[in-house]
């Protein structure tokens, strides 16, 4: 029997229940993993609450990210063997697989051999954040050396990944955070510029940082009132990528968009992870950064699996700096 988190109705974190259930033998194209670390993501809270782009089928599982040891492989799986240390990329539907568990099936196409330098907790904190930022900054924006990259919600795991990736590309990250409370931490992970949006004039600060040239790339999960300020501070033909829904409704003023020929688009992790060739390229790029130390996940706090409700409540508090990890 395995310990698996399930929920029977949409709602708050309290709907998550830890149950003892049997986990099947892996079928074709599957591996079974003894889970040692689980990454907690906002997408999973949206799925749990019924506000995600797909609705849960009950009893529902949850969890896009896990790391652990392969303990069984499907009959046609050749790339992995029992005993391999692996982690999992979000390349599947949460209605088909879930890693809030101590044992879980995974599609072999989503399984990755992470660098040996990573602990299981660190490996569980990599793929959602770093492939989200990789997909947007490389795949969509084609960010170039020397460009200014604005990163709202900079203390999130994706924000931290974006700061590190921008630096790896030779771009210049400008981190946005609501207050100065996390400024020192954000600077410590590589942001040369930090703007506290509730304390500073965002447009004025961006003009000063860019010496009036404007910003070229914006990677934004927040939107809301600050979005219009970022449009005002943009350089001609700047690229804006929206990838989340954690802010207030976003109003887009028309004049800066068409007078500067701005591009506003969505950035979706699954454009990379659901494409085998793109996923392979993304994993190789991220692994290179992990091996050189240019990319390194930051773990905010760990919880035991029995405290999955508390882990999701902590995530929804927005108090964390980095990734929340659960350990079975």
């Amino acid at each position: 029997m395995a310990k698996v988190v399930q929920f029977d109705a949409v709602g708050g974190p309290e709907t998550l229940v830890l149950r003892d259930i049997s986990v099947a033998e892996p079928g074709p194209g599957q591996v079974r993993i003894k889970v040692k670390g689980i990454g907690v993501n906002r997408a999973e809270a949206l799925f749990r609450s019924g506000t995600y782009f797909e609705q849960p089928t009950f009893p529902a599982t949850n969890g896009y990210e896990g790391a652990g040891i392969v303990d069984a492989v499907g009959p046609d799986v050749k790339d992995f063997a029992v005993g391999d240390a692996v982690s999992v990329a979000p390349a599947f539907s949460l209605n088909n697989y879930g890693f809030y568990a101590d044992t879980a099936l995974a599609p072999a196409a989503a399984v990755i051999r992470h660098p040996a330098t990573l602990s299981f907790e660190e490996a569980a904190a990599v793929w959602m954040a770093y492939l989200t930022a990789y997909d947007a900054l490389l795949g969509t924006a084609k960010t170039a050396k020397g460009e200014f990259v604005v990163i709202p919600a900079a203390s999130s795991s994706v924000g931290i990944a974006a700061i590190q990736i921008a630096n790896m590309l030779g771009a210049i990250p400008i981190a946005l955070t609501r207050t100065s409370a996390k400024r020192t931490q954000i600077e410590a992970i590589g942001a040369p510029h930090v703007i506290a949006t509730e304390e500073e004039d965002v447009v004025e600060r961006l003009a000063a940082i860019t010496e009036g040239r404007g910003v070229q790339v914006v990677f934004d999960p927040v939107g809301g009132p600050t979005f219009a300020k970022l449009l005002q501070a943009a350089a001609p033909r700047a690229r804006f990528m929206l990838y989340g829904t954690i802010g207030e409704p976003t109003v887009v003023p028309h004049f800066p968009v068409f007078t500067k020929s701005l591009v506003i688009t969505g950035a979706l992790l699954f454009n990379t992870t659901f494409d085998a060739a793109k996923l392979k390229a993304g994993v190789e790029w991220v692994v290179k950064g992990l091996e050189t130390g240019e990319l390194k996940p930051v773990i905010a706090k760990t919880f035991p699996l029995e405290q999955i409700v508390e882990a999701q409540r902590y995530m929804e508090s927005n108090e964390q700096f980095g990734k929340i990890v659960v350990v079975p």
Side-chain angles (χ1 to χ4, degrees):
M1 301 296 285
K3 293 188 179 299
V4 178
V5 173
Q6 294 183 325
F7 59 105
D8 300 319
V10 297
E14 68 281 356
T15 61
L16 300 176
V17 179
L18 188 61
R19 293 171 174 155
D20 292 320
I21 67 171
S22 60
V23 177
E25 291 294 317
Q30 293 181 326
V31 302
R32 192 173 63 200
I33 299 170
K34 288 289 186 182
V35 180
K36 304 296 184 182
I38 301 159
V40 177
N41 299 287
R42 197 166 296 274
E44 295 145 7
L46 296 175
F47 184 66
R48 182 210 71 223
S49 64
T51 55
Y52 202 40
F53 64 80
E54 65 174 335
Q55 291 297 304
T57 301
F58 303 116
T61 56
N62 211 340
Y64 271 125
E65 290 183 286
I69 302 290
V70 174
D71 92 323
V73 299
D76 61 342
V77 173
K78 307 299 182 186
D79 294 333
F80 301 99
V82 172
D84 285 347
V86 297
S87 48
V88 179
F92 49 84
S93 165
L94 289 173
N95 278 316
N96 295 330
Y97 298 95
F99 286 88
Y100 286 4
D102 66 5
T103 306
L105 293 176
V111 178
I112 298 163
R113 286 190 179 85
H114 54 259
T117 54
L118 295 183
S119 67
F120 285 119
E121 291 87 351
E122 289 173 324
V126 168
W127 299 114
M128 174 68 85
Y130 285 87
L131 288 176
T132 295
Y134 166 89
D135 174 81
L137 297 182
L138 280 84
T140 301
K142 306 291 191 293
T143 304
K145 182 177 180 179
E147 290 192 311
F148 289 98
V149 180
V150 175
I151 303 167
S155 63
S156 69
S157 59
V158 178
I160 291 167
I163 290 167
Q164 294 176 355
I165 287 175
N167 282 327
M168 192 170 167
L169 292 169
I172 305 160
I174 303 172
L176 269 55
T177 183
R178 289 189 304 107
T179 72
S180 295
K182 299 176 183 178
R183 182 185 296 273
T184 301
Q185 290 172 292
I186 295 170
E187 291 173 340
I189 53 93
H193 306 284
V194 180
I195 300 174
T197 59
E198 293 181 0
E199 301 170 4
E200 303 175 76
D201 186 313
V202 174
V203 176
E204 184 178 284
R205 286 277 282 121
L206 289 174
I209 292 166
T210 65
E211 297 180 341
R213 289 172 289 170
V215 300
Q216 289 87 15
V217 178
V218 175
F219 179 47
D220 188 3
V222 179
T226 300
F227 193 77
K229 299 176 184 178
L230 299 180
L231 292 173
Q232 186 179 341
R237 294 174 295 282
R239 292 92 75 201
F240 284 70
M241 292 160 296
L242 297 170
Y243 75 95
T245 60
I246 63 175
E248 301 172 38
T250 301
V251 177
V252 178
H254 292 187
F255 278 111
V257 176
F258 63 74
T259 58
K260 297 181 183 182
S261 299
L262 304 180
V263 175
I264 302 174
T265 188
L268 184 65
L269 162 74
F270 303 118
N271 290 332
T272 288
T273 61
F274 280 23
D275 182 306
K278 289 181 179 179
L279 177 59
K280 182 176 184 293
V283 167
E284 289 175 352
W285 196 92
V286 171
V287 165
K288 178 182 176 182
L290 293 168
E291 289 176 339
T292 63
E294 294 170 279
L295 306 180
K296 185 172 179 59
V298 174
I299 296 175
K301 191 173 182 179
T302 59
F303 291 82
L305 185 59
E306 291 76 13
Q307 292 181 12
I308 188 64
V309 171
E310 289 80 358
Q312 285 223 343
R313 283 181 177 149
Y314 182 60
M315 179 188 61
E316 292 185 338
S317 76
N318 295 320
E319 295 175 9
Q320 73 273 18
F321 181 82
K323 190 82 162 195
I324 299 165
V325 173
V326 170
V327 180

